[in-house]
Amino acid sequence: NLLVKRRKYFSVENEVARAVLEGFFRCTGQFVNDDELCEKVAQLIMEHDPDNVDAERALTLDEGLLHWTPKGALSKLRACMAKRSQLDTERYNPQMLDKAWRVNLVFVVELLCFGSLMFICFTLGTVEFFHKICRVTLLLTDPTASRMTCITFFLLFLNQTLGMMHINSLLLWRVETFIFGGTDAVVSEEENHIMHAYFGLLIERVWDVKSLSTCQKLAVMLQLDDDDLQQLVVEESTAKAPVCASIRQSMYRKGRSSRWIFMMQNFVTK
């Protein structure tokens, strides 16, 4: 699942599909957003196929457009535009649909490149992990090695094994994707620029605080994690506290509260 999420950051299929749609609607260089492009596709499909359920749902319900990506909209448009002679050539460029197969080619090439990269990384990681295990085994079975050397080398190997995946970076990445990624859960190039501008403004605000020393400012910036980012962005509602209190009272009456917390409360208060 994590590899699938990471693959989205290597993919440019939506960008090339957007370029095809912009050329089809003759709006290249106008920087039309994805929602407007998908809406244009849905309207065009409804004009030529009024019985199309997906397009009708997308036009009548705003939530329907959230499920349409440029690549998906292009696929629906290609499936509907069987008779392109009926199109107004002044408004549309039907020849762009002849180049739409290149989007699928880009997708296949990306998939092959990403799979090859993952295979190479997995192979190198497996070989190095096996090498480390062999070194630890030889050291632990060496009668001339001191006990302190064996313990130190084993602890270092254990630390490397536990640190293969940087959990803090992964958690921060997920919060950044949740805040800046939007409904597609992918931080695009534009959204990444906004995120960097936000962090730059945050660093500037921290650096302008007169009550903190230079070392404290550096510590704040270096120790920024997912909890700090969530506290900065999410604002706690005043209506939440009474609701949580009533829920806690209801859970206590029905016996659904944590027994461990109840025991610790009794231990402290009694």
Side-chain angles (χ1 to χ4, degrees), residues 133-146 150:
I133 291 179
C134 293
R135 288 194 61 186
V136 171
T137 303
L138 292 176
L139 186 62
L140 294 178
T141 56
D142 187 4
T144 60
S146 63
C150 296

Side-chain angles (χ1 to χ4, degrees), residues 172-173 175-177 179-180 187 191-207 220-221 224-226 228-230 232-233:
L172 183 60
W173 167 64
V175 175
E176 291 173 352
T177 304
I179 296 173
F180 300 98
V187 180
E191 293 167 342
N192 189 52
H193 181 77
I194 296 174
M195 183 176 65
H196 287 168
Y198 174 81
F199 283 124
L201 181 60
L202 176 61
I203 293 174
E204 182 181 359
R205 293 291 180 86
V206 171
W207 201 258
V220 169
M221 291 185 290
L224 181 70
D225 57 4
D226 56 306
D228 298 330
L229 184 59
Q230 182 173 341
L232 289 171
V233 176

Side-chain angles (χ1 to χ4, degrees), residues 14 17 21 34 37-39 41-42 45 67-79:
N14 283 322
L21 290 177
D34 293 347
L37 282 177
C38 293
E39 186 176 357
V41 171
I45 292 176
H67 302 287
W68 282 31
T69 60
K71 183 176 183 297
L74 180 60
S75 300
K76 296 179 184 296
L77 181 62
R78 293 181 63 190

Side-chain angles (χ1 to χ4, degrees), residues 14-151:
N14 283 322
E15 281 72 13
V16 295
R18 186 188 304 118
V20 174
L21 290 177
E22 288 177 351
F24 175 79
F25 290 107
R26 299 187 183 278
C27 57
T28 303
Q30 299 180 12
F31 300 100
V32 182
N33 59 54
D34 293 347
D35 291 340
E36 293 179 356
L37 282 177
C38 293
E39 186 176 357
K40 287 183 177 182
V41 171
Q43 291 175 351
L44 182 60
I45 292 176
M46 285 297 298
E47 291 177 1
H48 291 79
D49 188 8
D51 298 329
N52 193 292
V53 180
D54 292 337
E56 182 180 3
R57 185 184 298 113
L59 290 175
T60 55
L61 299 176
D62 293 338
E63 291 80 1
L65 290 176
L66 298 178
H67 302 287
W68 282 31
T69 60
K71 183 176 183 297
L74 180 60
S75 300
K76 296 179 184 296
L77 181 62
R78 293 181 63 190
C80 181
M81 293 292 102
K83 298 180 181 180
R84 287 175 288 176
S85 58
Q86 302 176 357
L87 294 176
D88 185 4
T89 56
E90 294 183 359
R91 297 175 54 191
Y92 310 108
N93 184 10
Q95 296 179 355
M96 292 301 298
L97 294 181
D98 296 333
K99 304 177 182 179
W101 62 271
R102 301 178 183 178
V103 178
N104 297 328
L105 178 62
V106 170
F107 173 74
V108 173
V109 172
E110 283 182 348
L111 193 62
L112 292 176
C113 293
F114 184 78
S116 301
L117 179 61
M118 292 299 100
F119 177 77
I120 293 173
C121 293
F122 177 77
T123 303
L124 294 177
T126 303
V127 171
E128 181 60 24
F129 187 73
F130 180 74
H131 170 251
K132 289 287 186 180
I133 291 179
C134 293
R135 288 194 61 186
V136 171
T137 303
L138 292 176
L139 186 62
L140 294 178
T141 56
D142 187 4
T144 60
S146 63
R147 181 176 300 179
M148 183 59 64
T149 302
C150 296
I151 294 175

